[in-house]
Each structure stands twice: as C-alpha cells, then as structure tokens.
Amino acid sequence: MKIGVLALQGAFAAHADTLASIGHATREVRVAADLDGLDGLVFPGGESSTMLNLIGRAELWAPLDRFVRSGRPTLLTCAGLILGATNVANPSQESFGWLDVDVVRNGWGRQVHSFEATGDLLGGPLVFIRAPTIARVGETVETVETFEGAPVMVRQGAIVGAAYHPELTDDATVHKLAFPAVDRSDAAASEV
Amino acid sequence: MDKATFKTKVGLAEMMKGGVIMDVVNPEQARIAEDAGACAVMALERVPAQIRKDGGVARASDPDMIKGIQAAVNIPVMAKCRIGHFMEARILEALEVDFIDESEVLTPADDLFHIDKLDFKPPFVCGCTDLGEALRRIREGAAMLRSKGEAGTGNIVEAVTHLRTLRTQIRRLTVLGHEELMTEAKNLGAPFELVEQVAKSGRLPVPVFAAGGIATPADAALCMALGAESVFVGSGIFLSGNPERRARAIVEAVTYWEDAKKLAEISTGLGEAMSGLEVGNLSDNQKFSKRGW
C-alpha cells in the first residue's frame, strides 16, 4: 500500500518511518495533487490549529474530506484525532467529523502533565503529549484501547483514531491496525 | 503513569517540527501569532532587538505577563531563563510553561555552569554553535536544540554558520572509524556515548531548530534546507511593517520550503522587513552567541 502522511506541520517524519518498518511506501502530502494514487492517509500529531490554518490556505479541506470519506484507511493521531472528531472543546474549533467522538484539547493538562503509560487492553506503550481526551464515543465507534478505563484509541470502519503517539515508540500495532500488513512483493515495491 | 519523561519532552519537540515559534510580548501578539499558524509562542518582555538596544541586564519575564499569554492561547507557551539560572527555571516550571529556553539572549547568570536540565519537569531548548556544544546540552537534558544565531539583528549569517557546522560535524562522525571516536569526543568536548550514538545514526537524538536573525520567508526556507526542522522567529515578525502577513508567510515557508514557486508567491507584498544589523560590526562582547559554552 502507498500511504500518505499529511506533512503540513508536526511529527509526520516519525509516522513515515513506522509505516516503512511494516512495509508500506509513503508520501508526504502538502498539496491536493499529493493525494493522487494513495491507498491511505495519516494525520499526525502537531498543533491542530496550525494544521487547520494551513489546510485552509492550501485549499485542502475538500480534497482531504473526499479522500477520507471515500472509505480508504485513515489513521488520526493526537492533533489528527482533533481534526477528525465530531466535536472539539477547549476551545471549540472546526473539525471534519469523520470519527464520531467528541474530544477535549489538552485534556490531560499542559506539557508538564504529559506522560508515558501502558494500555489497559492491548498492553502496548502509550505516549501522551499535551494529548486530547475522548469525552464521548459514538454508538458506531469501537473502543480498542483504554487507559485507566478512559478510551484512548478507537475505530470506526476504516478510520482509526489515537489520542497518543504510536509513532514515537517501536510498537507498530496501531499502524498495522489502520493499514493491514502487506505481503513481501508489496514491501519490495515500497522503496521510495 | 510516568510524567515528564525524556520521551515526552523530546516528543513535544517532535510535535513542533515544521512549525514556527514566535516571540510575543503581550496576549494580543500571542493571539496574532496563533491565528497566523504559529505552533508555539515564546513569551518575553522585550524582543531581542529591543534587548540589544536597551542594554542592561535582561532577566526572565514577569510571571504575570507569562500567565496572561498562557490564558490567551491554546498552543504551547515557552519562556526564557538566563543561562545557569536554575531558580528562574524553577519559577517557570511552577508556572507550568510548556518549554524553557535557557537563552543567551538574556544576560547569563553563571559563567561556568548551565542548568542541570534533567532535574526539571518542562523540556528545555538550548542554543548551540557546533556539535560539541549541542551534545553537552543534550547530556544536560535539553530536549531540543536551536542555532545560536545573532538574535535581534535580522541577519541570518550566524544561524547559517551554526547549522552548516553542525551538519558538517555530524557527517564527519559517520565516516570515522570506531577507534577514532574517543579522540573526536575529546576534541569536540562532548560525551563519548553521544558521539558514538550520532556516529551510528547520523543524526542528533533531539530535533534541531533554527533561531537568530530570521526575518523573511526565504530566511526560514534557507534554514530548513540546511537541516533545521523548524524555526524560531524573534524580532523579525512584530518589528516588521505587517506582522500578521509576515507571520503567516513564514509559517507557509516552513511547510513549502522545497517549492520555490510557492515561496515566490508567499514572499510577495509583505511590506517592510525589520531593519537589520551587520553582525560584522558587533564586537565579541555584543555577540549573544559568545555567551554560554
């Protein structure tokens, strides 16, 4: 599979490294034409307000919306989850509404409250950085991982959303969940 | 749950990649910066150009002013403390600033020692002029590095020199034999383990941003091309003719630095840039980059 990583701002390079480690080809997405021919898309962590700003200026809103609503696999992490949620609080801001969850920006507090922990259900490493909390999970949304009982990774159809940063660890579980592994011939074709 | 680990500190630096950190002196400027797409703001009482002009001792900002800016925006808020002034750093930690800049732009408090940064909850960013200085700061706990370009001059030459020096010295490490690394560590004045690590990976273990003298979108793009992963803009925005437009333009330049056609559009009609200072005319004791070691 060829997976795009939205590269307007944030931790896009780390996602590309993780995707490459599980055999996917990647492409950085900065303009609408970069979406052509992609099989999936990652919205990385960073500052959601910065990304919204640049999405507006590059006229990327409609192309990104079409891409994700076409049903292709999409991974939203941290700021990406904020962009894709139904509702955003603290403060409220515009979002695409692909994933039926409500999120609270910086829900765990400022940077000094950022933390590492272990997931309740899958037991993988969780790295939270000024992360959003998920305040509501819609009926069609499956909770895949929790921390102290609170949902931190969810799935709805082809969309996976994580409040934490799997791209900053060696654990590729979330990326594999979003973009099912490929066979060797695909992996060989993935040299960029 | 482990709070404020080194991974979460470097993680925040990772999240700021491809973004612009802007100096702001009041909540109104902070909001302008956030609206323009800044990925963080640096709260300080005077921009570096003003500090340079005023002279005297430059200290950490009034907590009241920092709180005002924290209340005004939702992006991370950074603040500066003096080199070696760990009590100013403790105060900034108590204020829960998101990143502390142990900065040569303020008057150094200690001629010999930098802050033991591992001992603090917020991540630190420090300036560096070369690889040895970079690795010393990382070993002390810095989660982000930046060039030590001459802040407040609007002149990019020093930042360019630092970024190029870093890049050349890192490349050199990758081609040395393992038996040569100890001598290299001695010459760099850098911890051996970090020298070994960089020799193997070909990169620093924390992000490197550009700072000092960035006044135009082209300056920002130049720094990105030289290996910076993001930029700090100090005096360059709010001392220019049209801060809103210039701020937005520099944000875009950092994203589209490889696309010269786009840079040409971005650079059009920004009004007056800040007036600059020729770095060659500064004596060594006027140079911020000579502060710290």
Side-chain angles (χ1 to χ4, degrees):
Chain A
M1 286 172 98
K2 188 156 189 122
I3 313 295
V5 184
L6 188 67
L8 298 174
Q9 191 271 322
F12 48 87
H15 274 289
D17 290 347
T18 306
L19 289 166
S21 78
I22 57 170
H24 294 302
T26 62
R27 182 195 295 155
E28 294 181 352
V29 174
R30 292 189 177 83
V31 295
D34 293 336
L35 292 167
D36 294 346
L38 292 177
D39 304 307
L41 191 56
V42 176
F43 290 75
E47 282 306 315
S48 58
S49 55
T50 302
M51 292 183 204
L52 273 180
N53 210 305
L54 288 163
I55 286 170
R57 278 186 253 168
E59 295 177 359
L60 274 168
W61 185 276
L64 290 172
D65 197 42
R66 265 199 306 275
F67 187 95
V68 176
R69 291 188 193 278
S70 74
R72 278 169 279 193
T74 301
L75 173 59
L76 313 166
T77 58
C78 198
L81 176 66
I82 296 169
L83 294 182
T86 299
N87 292 298
V88 180
N90 187 35
S92 74
Q93 65 183 31
E94 214 177 356
S95 59
F96 285 97
W98 300 314
L99 190 57
D100 189 23
V101 294
D102 293 350
V103 298
V104 180
R105 279 181 75 188
N106 302 325
W108 309 89
R110 294 183 184 280
Q111 170 63 14
V112 294
H113 303 289
S114 291
F115 63 99
E116 289 183 68
T118 305
D120 298 336
L121 306 177
L122 305 177
L126 311 177
V127 182
F128 292 91
I129 296 162
R130 286 171 46 91
T133 48
I134 300 174
R136 183 190 63 86
V137 177
E139 278 174 20
T140 56
V141 179
E142 173 197 359
T143 297
V144 186
E145 181 61 291
T146 64
F147 171 66
E148 292 185 343
V152 292
M153 199 243 294
V154 297
R155 177 163 63 177
Q156 178 185 348
I159 304 172
V160 173
Y164 55 96
H165 293 280
E167 79 282 8
L168 297 183
T169 69
D170 294 331
D171 182 4
T173 308
V174 179
H175 291 80
K176 285 179 184 161
L177 191 71
F179 310 107
V182 288
D183 66 36
R184 277 197 180 280
S185 55
D186 281 357
S190 75
E191 299 295 321
V192 184
Chain B
M1 177 199 294
D2 296 316
K3 279 196 183 184
T5 59
F6 194 61
K7 198 185 248 313
T8 64
K9 292 176 180 178
V10 178
L12 182 58
E14 294 281 338
M15 296 309 136
M16 290 181 185
K17 281 186 179 175
V20 181
I21 300 151
M22 301 183 192
D23 278 5
V24 298
V25 300
N26 56 47
E28 188 199 348
Q29 287 187 357
R31 276 189 288 266
I32 291 173
E34 186 175 42
D35 289 345
C39 72
V41 291
M42 175 76 73
L44 72 181
E45 271 163 4
R46 295 172 291 169
V47 293
Q50 196 63 43
I51 290 174
R52 214 174 257 289
K53 202 168 136 200
D54 294 351
V57 175
R59 309 179 179 89
S61 298
D62 185 335
D64 220 29
M65 175 268 173
I66 294 171
K67 284 186 201 162
I69 288 172
Q70 285 174 319
V73 295
N74 293 285
I75 53 180
V77 175
M78 300 186 163
K80 290 182 194 290
C81 71
R82 286 178 265 181
I83 289 175
H85 205 315
F86 55 85
M87 286 317 300
E88 281 186 350
R90 284 289 175 220
I91 291 170
L92 297 178
E93 179 181 48
L95 292 170
E96 299 196 348
V97 304
D98 295 300
F99 234 106
I100 299 175
D101 184 3
E102 186 182 17
S103 177
E104 70 283 359
V105 169
L106 304 183
T107 312
D110 194 319
D111 276 345
L112 288 178
F113 303 108
H114 283 253
I115 295 171
D116 184 8
K117 292 168 273 289
L118 287 172
D119 194 33
F120 286 78
K121 284 193 210 113
F124 276 77
V125 51
C126 288
C128 63
T129 58
D130 60 21
L131 183 58
E133 192 173 12
L135 296 181
R136 289 191 292 275
R137 296 292 88 76
I138 292 171
R139 187 62 190 83
E140 288 165 355
M144 180 200 288
L145 292 168
R146 55 173 176 74
S147 62
K148 232 171 168 179
E150 279 305 312
T153 63
N155 191 332
I156 196 69
V157 63
E158 293 278 309
V160 165
T161 306
H162 304 161
L163 291 170
R164 279 199 180 277
T165 303
L166 267 180
R167 197 160 77 157
T168 304
Q169 291 179 320
I170 291 171
R171 278 186 190 147
R172 183 180 145 75
L173 276 190
T174 63
V175 296
L176 290 181
H178 192 262
E179 77 285 1
E180 296 174 282
L181 293 181
M182 185 58 85
T183 302
E184 191 68 7
K186 179 190 167 214
N187 293 340
L188 289 170
F192 177 74
E193 288 70 21
L194 288 175
V195 168
E196 211 177 18
Q197 192 183 329
V198 173
K200 200 180 278 179
S201 67
R203 59 207 276 189
L204 288 169
V206 308
V208 182
F209 291 13
I214 294 158
T216 66
D219 288 346
L222 175 65
C223 292
M224 296 298 283
L226 292 173
E229 293 169 295
S230 195
V231 303
F232 286 80
V233 187
S235 319
I237 289 174
F238 288 100
L239 292 184
S240 75
N242 189 336
E244 286 91 343
R245 287 192 70 168
R246 187 162 294 267
R248 290 165 64 101
I250 294 177
V251 168
E252 283 190 74
V254 168
T255 299
Y256 298 105
W257 62 272
E258 288 172 291
D259 185 342
K261 227 172 143 181
K262 229 173 157 118
L263 288 175
E265 282 167 35
I266 291 166
S267 304
T268 304
L270 298 183
E272 195 107 11
M274 72 175 284
S275 69
L277 258 185
E278 173 50 49
V279 177
N281 294 340
L282 297 175
S283 63
D284 268 6
N285 62 13
Q286 289 174 303
K287 274 194 179 180
F288 292 159
S289 61
K290 300 290 177 196
R291 296 169 167 182
W293 59 278

